[in-house]
Amino acid sequence: MALADHDPLLLLRQAISSGSPFIPTPSDDPGAAEAALARASHLQFTSRGTALPFDAPTRFISNDKPVDLRSIYFAWLNRELAIPEYNASATTLNDELAAAGSAGKVQNLGFIERLDLITWLEGASEESEYIKPLAGDAGAAAAGAAPAAKPGALSSATKARSGKGTMDPRLASVYDGERRMGDRNTALRGIKPMDFSHVRKLAVPFIQKKSQSASAVSTNPSLSINQKGPSRRPDPIILLSPSASSLLRMSNARSFLEDGKFVPPDAAASTASMLHVQRTMRGIDPNRPMRFILVEGSEQFKPEYWNRIVAVFTTGQTWQFKNYKWSSPNDLFKHTLGVFVGWRGEQAPDNVRSWGHRVLSTGVDRWRGGDGQDASRFRDKEVVEQIWKTIEMNMRSKGWRADAAPTSI
């Protein structure tokens, strides 16, 4: 049986995409009843007749170690929870596991790791910087992970996430209407298994030639300079202000930064603790849009995340920076760009003005509400373009490139 048939991540992603049930059970018996997660030892994929142990390692790597299936399943179940609630739930489950005599333990994932995992499981992304490809089958894993859905119908995962910070429902409907295209891996497989073992004999001369080239490099170290292979560029991070007086919050940030339309932050409530927006930065990578991760706090930051900060939105209140790597505004804005969004025609707070040119001060028209409100927002796009232009200039100066990110800012 193929390696992918028992890969925990692929089985879970396929079940989510197709809406097939998967339940925790106390044994690998196909007829076992569903059990509480603290007392379950296996995850049963009923439509596949397959049960995998919860302590099975997966290809998702955190802190250089594989994350077990129990932690992956727990992260999916609690995908809607904010970071504090997610951490509290993990602690509660670990206590229940210990009380039940289980040696298992749920591993807490960082907020970017969790966002990356959920995005991949839902099928919104075909790659992840934390998931190792299947040995010898990386292309097929991506192609087979998301079965085609009926045109015009949203998958159950998309319906569950619509409007909650992961994927805009309009964008999801466009994706669901796309024709699924195979790649060279799926084309080679055809409709029946093929034996390509004879290709090994053809590859022997090329492998020998590569070995000879490697030997030449080892004898002449100067040849190895800048020969490092390309790596996946990490997503840049934008920090929003958690202040209740901020005009830009998680509830309206996507509408403003992606669509160029400002709506009041209290017009649409949001429980999301993170989201992402896409923007093509032509001066950095004109061929593909960049994905920006938006968060309001840095509590779950790893040290390397600070090198990915490209902008900090602020109201001028210095308590926002208390837990930052650079808690002093003057130090912070030497390393990254500050952005203040206020009302057009009103003067920026004294703090913002005292921080000088390192903080971009902008203003949007006041929200009037009522009929005709869409027509009155035509100047919002001008403000958004000004913000993105300044962010792009700052990113270029810090070393962002099409295939690389700065190692220090």
Side-chain angles (χ1 to χ4, degrees):
M1 189 170 290
L3 178 63
D5 291 342
H6 286 301
D7 181 70
L9 287 179
L10 276 185
L11 283 176
L12 185 58
R13 186 180 184 188
Q14 290 169 350
I16 291 170
S17 180
S18 62
S20 303
F22 46 94
I23 57 174
T25 58
S27 70
D28 59 355
D29 184 359
E34 183 174 358
L37 186 54
R39 290 176 171 78
S41 61
H42 289 72
L43 185 62
Q44 188 85 234
F45 297 88
T46 55
S47 63
R48 299 287 293 269
T50 301
L52 298 180
F54 269 130
D55 57 1
T58 69
R59 292 181 291 114
F60 193 92
I61 306 300
S62 176
N63 295 323
D64 298 326
K65 296 181 180 179
V67 179
D68 63 344
L69 180 58
R70 179 185 284 106
S71 301
I72 297 294
Y73 176 70
F74 178 79
W76 170 254
L77 283 183
N78 297 279
R79 60 193 180 279
E80 301 295 346
L81 294 184
I83 292 173
E85 289 81 2
Y86 168 77
N87 292 336
S89 298
T91 301
T92 301
L93 179 57
N94 286 334
D95 293 341
E96 294 175 352
L97 287 168
S102 172
K105 188 176 181 181
V106 169
Q107 179 177 343
N108 278 7
L109 300 180
F111 78 96
I112 291 184
E113 294 173 332
R114 190 155 61 107
L115 173 63
D116 205 77
L117 172 65
I118 299 304
T119 304
W120 187 88
L121 287 175
E122 289 177 339
S125 173
E126 295 300 330
E127 61 178 8
S128 169
E129 60 181 298
Y130 300 101
I131 298 178
K132 294 175 61 177
L134 283 171
D137 201 21
K150 293 181 180 179
L154 295 176
S155 67
S156 59
T158 302
K159 289 178 180 177
R161 298 291 293 172
S162 293
K164 294 185 179 181
T166 295
M167 183 182 293
D168 188 286
R170 294 170 296 178
L171 182 60
S173 64
V174 173
Y175 282 161
D176 286 336
E178 286 184 336
R179 178 183 176 186
R180 300 289 180 177
M181 302 295 291
D183 58 9
R184 59 194 181 100
N185 295 288
T186 55
L188 285 172
R189 276 167 180 74
I191 60 174
K192 61 181 180 180
M194 301 291 290
D195 182 12
F196 291 99
S197 58
H198 66 281
V199 177
R200 292 184 179 180
K201 295 180 181 178
L202 301 177
V204 168
F206 299 97
I207 295 175
Q208 291 175 344
K209 185 179 295 184
K210 184 177 180 180
S211 300
Q212 293 171 358
S213 299
S215 299
V217 170
S218 63
T219 56
N220 189 353
S222 63
L223 295 178
S224 63
I225 298 176
N226 297 327
Q227 294 299 311
K228 190 175 181 180
S231 58
R232 182 178 182 269
R233 181 191 63 207
D235 297 328
I237 301 172
I238 294 177
L239 279 168
L240 301 180
S241 171
S243 173
S245 63
S246 176
L247 298 185
L248 201 65
R249 301 291 302 276
M250 298 295 283
S251 57
N252 65 345
R254 173 176 288 153
S255 172
F256 186 65
L257 293 175
E258 268 197 352
D259 303 330
K261 180 181 176 183
F262 174 82
V263 295
D266 55 356
S270 173
T271 59
S273 59
M274 66 197 83
L275 56 88
H276 63 261
V277 299
Q278 291 193 341
R279 173 78 179 188
T280 300
M281 312 298 273
R282 301 192 182 280
I284 300 174
D285 189 351
N287 299 318
R288 56 174 177 164
M290 298 183 72
R291 186 175 73 166
F292 292 80
I293 298 175
L294 273 61
V295 292
E296 286 186 342
S298 61
E299 291 80 6
Q300 300 296 318
F301 267 31
K302 294 182 179 180
E304 62 267 23
Y305 291 171
W306 287 103
N307 294 325
R308 296 159 61 177
I309 299 293
V310 296
V312 175
F313 282 77
T314 180
T315 59
Q317 297 165 298
T318 56
W319 58 262
Q320 173 187 348
F321 318 128
K322 181 179 179 181
N323 296 321
Y324 285 12
K325 178 180 180 180
W326 305 285
S327 56
S328 167
N330 290 326
D331 289 339
L332 173 65
F333 297 125
K334 286 179 182 177
H335 292 86
T336 189
L337 173 71
V339 181
F340 169 77
V341 179
W343 296 122
R344 189 186 300 273
E346 290 189 359
Q347 192 175 53
D350 292 340
N351 277 346
V352 174
R353 287 185 285 117
S354 69
W355 295 334
H357 67 278
R358 299 187 183 96
V359 179
L360 172 65
S361 181
T362 62
V364 295
D365 291 320
R366 283 190 171 275
W367 182 260
R368 304 301 179 186
D371 296 334
Q373 60 189 28
D374 289 343
S376 67
R377 308 307 311 178
F378 69 94
R379 289 198 292 190
D380 290 346
K381 288 190 176 181
E382 297 179 5
V383 178
V384 172
E385 290 301 319
Q386 180 189 12
I387 292 173
W388 280 120
K389 182 179 179 180
T390 309
I391 290 176
E392 180 175 342
M393 292 173 60
N394 176 67
M395 291 177 66
R396 291 176 61 187
S397 68
K398 295 298 183 182
W400 285 88
R401 301 292 182 265
D403 57 353
T407 57
S408 178
I409 63 171

